[in-house]
Amino acid sequence: MNGSITLLETLVERIRATAAGYHRGAEEPPAAILWPDPDGAWRPAVAQLQGLMPELLSLGDYAPAQRTGPAIWLKCALAGSLSGVDLPGGVIPVLYLPGVARHQLRAAESCPWEWQPLVELLFRGAVWGHPNGRDWTPEGFLQSAEGLGLDLAGDEKTRASLRASIGGLVKTPVDLLRRRGRLEAVDFDEIMVGDTPRDLLTWLASPEGAKRDWGEERWHAFRSRCLDKYDFDPGHDDALVAAEYLGLREKETWRQLWERYREAPTLYPGVRDALNRAQPRDILALEAESWPQENEKLENELRAALEALDELPPHDARRRLHELETTHGVRRSWVWAKLDEAPLARSLTPLLELAEATRAIPACSSPGALVAWYVEHGWKADDAARRVRGDLRRQKDEVALHGAIRSVYAPWLEDLNRQFQALVGKHGYESPGGEKAAEGECLLFVDGLRYDVGLELVQRLTKVSLKVAVSHRLAALPTVTPTAKPAVAPIADVCRGAKLPADFRPTGPEGNELTSHLFGKLLEAAGYQRIREESVTGPASVSARGWLETGRIDKRGHELGADLAAILAGELERVVNLVEGLLRAGWRSVKIVTDHGWLLLPGGLAKHELPGFLVESRWSRCAAIKGHSTPEVPTVPWRWNPAESVAVAPGSRVFIKGEAYAHGGVSLQECVTPVLRVGGETATSDAVRIQSLRWKGLRCAVELSRGEGGLRAGVETADERSPITPVKEVEADGQVSLLVADEDKLGAKAIVLISDASGRVIAKAETRVGG
């Protein structure tokens, strides 16, 4: 943990991490994170947390401006049915419940009627609390090993001082608390009245509010400390005077205060406005970072410069990008970047990567040589362009970022793929047969997993401790799902093609239409166990082979166009969840395959005119030729019958105007696809497994294949997924004993869960309480 992080930021991190504890691949994400607080002890911190957590709502009297309301209002907010309450995407909503204990919600029949709408969220959501099932108290969080692990005195005076100071304590860096050693009442009293930098920033952010909240005694003490340390009297001098001192940083004490502000600017939102109003007129000799207006001015200048890049030749655009980096790159370390007010300066990093990756195209003598270069180097340009577009935060920056991307990427795409098409026309194109699964392996088909996106998926799989072997293959032509999906599937050798159909779909072995139903039947006939995405199951036998498919990337690409880049992270997490679910269900390995990639160019790919009377059907990048027509575009043999030809768009162009996302043609981005093998004996032989479960009455003895530090075990009901034993640490020898205290649970279906130190479930087994 970063030593300068505050308790408030730690709370944000830990609360959000609760949502990562669901069993990915087997469950949907939680509908909400519940934060019970029976004594309301955390209440002074919640208003400050809402500045950092826009997803945080509170139970209480109806006050929508403060994101607070009764239980039914909270449920409506979760459902998205309230105007004026917009919960951010990408994070799980958090419901703070002052005065409510978890056990009260569990006892649904006796739960107060005004809280009863929240009861079902115990089962659809997650609860932020101690692993032993208790609600977090401030003192519990500070001293527990699962919290901060601080040394805290246990007397009532210390507890009272801690709770009295919680509003100020949450803005204190954790390392300051840790350095104090054993924390007692006097420590919290001193922190409450003695953290002058925190108090000065708090006052500067809201002068009237701080003075009102502190009371007369603390206000006078604060004035005295400011005079001693900063030579400044907040009772006499205006807040703008202090803001100017802070921005100028002429004395060491003010420089130190600036560093304190830079560590956590989101904790003091009003300071930005004070600095904005206090900026001196002549700042030529001053630090530009201090003043938000200067950063805004520089962002505007950068936006105009990026917009102009689209008018420059590629070599001039690259040179200009390097010049802009020299001027604006430093702003990524400014405090305003932490407040997300320098997004264009941040985007210069992937833009420079894009500029370098598109600087040259090798002269290759065969398609294979160009493919080899692409999987080693060329994909980096696609990755950088995608990351630039995916990092778009403000609509007003769209034109600038699109222009910058196009200036170097569009010519590179065109030149690269005209060369690839020329090589394919000269030497031919061979796509391999269908992919097969080994015994105990599941094929996971991901529609539209482009090569660079596949490599990002590898990084995400690696982060959850999975081992991945990476290879590649060529997609079938044309690179559209009806042709390419059967070609990569285990049924490829039984599919047929006669006359090229308008939808490019082959037939089954008897010449009948290859519908999704027939596709599934052929998989089963080939010995593959079909698995549904919404209900992941394990292998039916040791020698089983599996098939599971998910198609959201390609679907979302056609819906969103260039905006696909912004949502890819979520789609890749879905794939990670599926892989983890398959391995957890008992598959020895997972092989990830796809049908095709795609071209993505913000602002749209250039159109190539193709007269409609020459073709039977026309898709984005391919067309079925009508009769003996000879359109003036490249043609390639159809994968399912080489005697049939398909027209493809030249270079990186499209046949349909305005398309930013397209596939079906011949380009490295569409044709080179990843094959990822996750797991296997080399990856999972050392995995922790549940060796045996032995019940003696209500006590379950669990034995694991081995022990390791940080492993925890617990038992949940199979239906409601609610804990029925405390979570216990596994002994070093891999054994643990779990007691179900509720005799009514005898005979109930249950699940034993083993989690690692990070809380990720790594093994589970179904059982019945009592055996």
Side-chain angles (χ1 to χ4, degrees):
M1 180 181 294
N2 182 351
S4 65
I5 193 172
T6 63
L7 177 55
L8 200 61
E9 293 167 303
T10 303
L11 287 171
V12 174
E13 175 187 311
R14 299 293 183 85
I15 294 170
R16 285 177 172 167
T18 305
Y22 68 98
H23 309 138
R24 299 194 292 183
E27 299 178 336
E28 287 295 315
I33 298 171
L34 304 182
W35 178 4
D37 183 14
D39 300 330
W42 291 104
R43 200 190 302 264
V46 169
Q48 300 173 68
L49 273 171
Q50 286 182 323
L52 301 179
M53 302 179 71
E55 73 272 25
L56 176 60
L57 304 172
S58 296
L59 176 69
D61 294 334
Y62 180 68
Q66 285 74 49
R67 301 210 295 272
T68 299
I72 193 64
W73 181 86
L74 294 177
K75 292 292 292 294
C76 292
L78 290 181
S81 58
L82 295 178
S83 60
V85 181
D86 296 319
L87 294 173
V91 291
I92 307 299
V94 178
L95 305 186
Y96 172 65
L97 309 177
V100 180
R102 181 174 2 188
H103 70 82
Q104 291 175 294
L105 294 178
R106 282 179 177 166
E109 294 182 358
S110 59
C111 178
W113 67 267
E114 62 268 25
W115 298 345
Q116 287 182 359
L118 303 174
V119 170
E120 59 95 13
L121 290 175
L122 280 176
F123 310 106
R124 286 201 303 125
V127 179
W128 184 62
H130 194 285
N132 66 9
R134 297 178 181 176
D135 299 320
W136 276 124
T137 61
E139 55 270 23
F141 185 73
L142 260 64
Q143 69 181 12
S144 170
E146 291 79 9
L148 293 180
L150 300 176
D151 186 5
L152 185 67
D155 59 282
E156 183 59 32
K157 185 176 180 182
T158 297
R159 177 179 177 275
S161 293
L162 165 60
R163 294 200 170 199
S165 65
I166 193 67
L169 184 66
V170 291
K171 291 186 176 180
T172 303
V174 172
D175 69 331
L176 292 182
L177 298 173
R178 208 174 298 281
R179 287 201 300 266
R180 284 177 174 262
R182 185 172 181 79
L183 296 167
E184 299 179 342
V186 65
D187 295 291
F188 296 115
D189 293 341
E190 288 178 2
I191 288 171
M192 187 62 184
V193 299
D195 191 349
T196 307
R198 178 204 64 204
D199 289 348
L200 181 50
L201 289 170
T202 300
W203 173 80
L204 187 54
S206 178
E208 295 302 321
K211 184 177 180 180
R212 180 184 62 251
D213 294 342
W214 288 343
E216 196 66 28
E217 184 176 334
R218 185 177 172 190
W219 169 249
H220 282 293
F222 169 65
R223 288 183 61 186
S224 176
R225 284 182 278 120
C226 285
L227 280 168
D228 289 342
K229 188 170 184 177
Y230 296 98
D231 194 23
F232 166 78
D233 182 1
H236 180 268
D237 296 316
D238 189 86
L240 295 187
V241 175
E244 184 173 353
Y245 288 159
L246 176 63
L248 293 174
R249 290 177 270 162
E250 293 177 338
K251 294 183 178 180
E252 180 61 25
T253 52
W254 290 98
R255 284 193 288 272
Q256 292 175 358
L257 186 65
W258 175 261
E259 290 305 312
R260 180 71 176 269
Y261 174 60
R262 287 186 79 251
E263 288 177 356
T266 54
L267 301 183
Y268 312 99
V271 171
R272 182 203 180 281
D273 180 60
L275 288 166
N276 207 32
R277 291 183 290 121
Q279 178 177 326
R281 292 185 178 181
D282 182 10
I283 63 165
L284 293 178
L286 306 179
E287 287 284 351
E289 178 189 3
S290 299
W291 317 106
Q293 289 181 42
E294 287 303 299
N295 175 70
E296 185 177 356
K297 183 182 76 173
L298 290 169
E299 275 286 288
N300 291 337
E301 292 175 1
L302 179 55
R303 185 181 304 106
L306 293 176
E307 287 178 8
L309 290 180
D310 204 11
E311 303 172 2
L312 299 178
H315 62 280
D316 287 338
R318 290 187 184 90
R319 175 184 52 78
R320 183 66 175 132
L321 280 170
H322 281 280
E323 293 172 352
L324 293 172
E325 168 66 13
T326 300
T327 302
H328 297 277
V330 66
R331 291 195 292 114
R332 291 193 291 272
S333 65
W334 285 10
V335 66
W336 314 118
K338 289 187 176 182
L339 292 173
D340 206 22
E341 294 183 19
L344 291 178
R346 183 178 56 246
S347 293
L348 281 173
T349 298
L351 277 172
L352 285 172
E353 294 175 19
L354 175 62
E356 293 307 306
T358 57
R359 187 175 289 278
I361 299 171
C364 295
S365 58
S366 68
L370 196 56
V371 167
W373 169 83
Y374 179 76
V375 299
E376 184 70 23
H377 302 288
W379 65 271
K380 296 176 183 177
D382 304 321
D383 176 69
R386 181 172 54 81
R387 285 188 287 116
V388 174
R389 181 56 183 79
D391 204 31
L392 176 65
R393 303 294 182 88
R394 305 179 300 194
Q395 199 64 33
K396 65 181 180 181
D397 295 333
E398 183 177 63
V399 173
L401 290 182
H402 285 190
I405 293 169
R406 295 181 64 89
S407 67
V408 293
Y409 188 51
W412 179 83
L413 274 180
E414 184 70 12
D415 294 344
L416 174 66
N417 289 309
R418 282 190 180 271
Q419 180 183 157
F420 184 52
Q421 290 168 1
L423 291 171
V424 168
K426 182 178 180 180
H427 297 280
Y429 181 100
E430 292 187 11
S431 58
E435 294 287 338
K436 310 286 187 182
E439 290 187 353
E441 182 172 69
C442 182
L443 288 174
L444 174 56
F445 172 81
V446 182
D447 195 359
L449 185 67
R450 197 170 73 170
Y451 189 77
D452 61 303
V453 182
L455 294 186
E456 182 176 330
L457 176 59
V458 171
Q459 295 178 354
R460 292 175 179 270
L461 291 166
T462 303
K463 284 182 179 178
V464 293
S465 303
L466 295 174
K467 295 181 181 180
V468 189
V470 183
S471 59
H472 66 276
R473 58 175 280 146
L474 291 180
L477 298 180
T479 50
V480 292
T481 299
T483 280
K485 179 180 176 182
V488 77
I491 64 169
D493 56 350
V494 301
C495 293
R496 301 288 182 264
K499 182 177 174 58
L500 177 69
D503 65 356
F504 308 104
R505 188 185 305 275
T507 63
E510 306 299 327
N512 42 349
E513 182 182 359
L514 188 63
T515 62
S516 58
H517 177 72
L518 178 58
F519 187 96
K521 290 296 183 183
L522 292 175
L523 279 172
E524 292 173 353
Y528 281 79
Q529 177 182 333
R530 294 167 63 193
I531 304 167
R532 294 184 301 167
E533 182 176 356
E534 63 273 15
S535 179
V536 173
T537 55
S541 67
V542 175
S543 61
R545 294 173 171 86
W547 171 272
L548 189 156
E549 58 186 73
T550 179
R552 288 174 57 100
I553 292 178
D554 189 43
K555 179 176 182 290
R556 299 292 279 161
H558 287 296
E559 292 172 348
L560 300 175
D563 290 339
L564 171 67
I567 59 93
L568 271 174
E571 297 304 322
L572 292 181
E573 279 303 304
R574 288 174 60 89
V575 179
V576 172
N577 295 345
L578 286 173
V579 172
E580 288 190 306
L582 287 166
L583 294 175
R584 196 161 48 240
W587 293 97
R588 287 202 293 266
S589 60
V590 177
K591 185 192 286 188
I592 301 173
V593 297
T594 190
D595 48 358
H596 58 75
W598 28 269
L599 296 175
L600 188 73
L601 184 65
L605 295 150
K607 184 184 179 185
H608 183 89
E609 294 295 338
L610 179 66
F613 63 84
L614 297 176
V615 296
E616 292 286 353
S617 65
R618 178 172 51 191
W619 293 25
S620 294
R621 295 257 301 149
C622 60
I625 300 171
K626 180 182 292 184
H628 298 287
S629 301
T630 55
E632 296 181 355
V633 293
T635 60
V636 294
W638 182 37
R639 161 64 174 82
W640 299 106
N641 184 351
E644 295 286 323
S645 295
V646 178
V648 294
S652 59
R653 296 171 179 264
V654 290
F655 292 140
I656 301 174
K657 183 179 180 181
E659 301 236 336
Y661 172 92
H663 60 88
V666 178
S667 72
L668 291 164
Q669 287 75 17
E670 295 163 285
C671 295
V672 180
T673 63
V675 178
L676 313 178
R677 189 167 187 268
V678 188
E681 292 303 320
T682 58
T684 59
S685 60
D686 62 345
V688 173
R689 295 183 176 86
I690 297 176
Q691 295 259 90
S692 67
L693 300 174
R694 299 186 306 277
W695 286 93
K696 187 174 182 179
L698 293 172
R699 185 176 295 276
C700 180
V702 182
E703 182 179 356
L704 306 183
S705 58
R706 62 182 174 83
E708 65 178 41
L711 294 182
R712 293 181 173 84
V715 182
E716 293 183 354
T717 56
D719 297 329
E720 299 174 348
R721 302 307 296 270
S722 59
I724 54 176
T725 70
V727 175
K728 291 183 63 176
E729 288 198 14
V730 178
E731 300 294 335
D733 59 1
Q735 299 191 45
V736 63
S737 177
L738 303 170
L739 176 65
V740 178
D742 187 353
E743 294 182 357
D744 292 339
K745 298 298 183 185
L746 188 64
K749 291 182 179 180
I751 302 174
V752 176
L753 299 172
I754 308 299
S755 58
D756 61 16
S758 68
R760 185 171 65 94
V761 175
I762 60 172
K764 67 178 180 179
E766 295 184 359
T767 184
R768 283 188 180 273
V769 177

